[in-house]
Amino acid sequence: MFVDVTEGNQSFTWAASQIISTTSDLNTFMTALFGGKLLPSDVLENMFTVPEVPTWNKDGKDVGRATLSMGMIRTTIKSVTFWGKIGARPGYCNGMFATRGLQ
């Protein structure tokens, strides 16, 4: 059964940002953010700083180093590091990632 949730912009406790957008909008946002047009450079640098602490899975097993910074997720694929954010709403799961230099 399909349910149209485009008008259902009610708040969820885990997703209060309320973003409903297009991929073009997200590209514009990421370009401005990573290009230093939205935040002071020291705040942006904090967004690219991940604490050097271990990460554990639900069973308490150490599974590597932290990947979350102040508002972004760091992930590395084939030696290329990407930064971004993921989110979900009923019926949707999304993410936006880019290299720090927007390559």
Side-chain angles (χ1 to χ4, degrees):
M1 176 169 128
F2 292 103
V3 176
D4 183 354
V5 297
T6 56
E7 297 298 323
N9 203 17
Q10 69 275 12
S11 180
F12 292 92
T13 58
W14 68 90
S17 295
Q18 303 297 322
I19 292 178
I20 294 179
S21 194
T22 66
T23 54
S24 179
D25 290 340
L26 295 175
N27 184 56
T28 299
F29 172 74
M30 291 287 276
T31 300
L33 178 64
F34 285 28
K37 295 182 173 140
L38 299 181
L39 298 172
S41 60
D42 60 326
V43 174
L44 185 59
E45 192 58 36
N46 281 335
M47 292 185 76
F48 288 111
T49 302
V50 176
E52 284 298 321
V53 296
T55 299
W56 295 274
N57 68 10
K58 65 180 180 172
D59 298 321
K61 181 181 176 189
D62 184 344
V63 293
R65 306 311 291 168
T67 60
L68 298 173
S69 70
M70 186 179 78
M72 284 198 289
I73 301 167
R74 175 184 66 194
T75 189
T76 302
I77 301 170
K78 295 185 179 181
S79 301
V80 178
T81 299
F82 296 91
W83 295 87
K85 187 76 174 151
I86 59 172
R89 304 272 314 187
Y92 298 91
C93 183
N94 61 60
M96 56 182 183
F97 285 82
T99 62
R100 186 167 178 176
L102 296 170
Q103 289 89 17

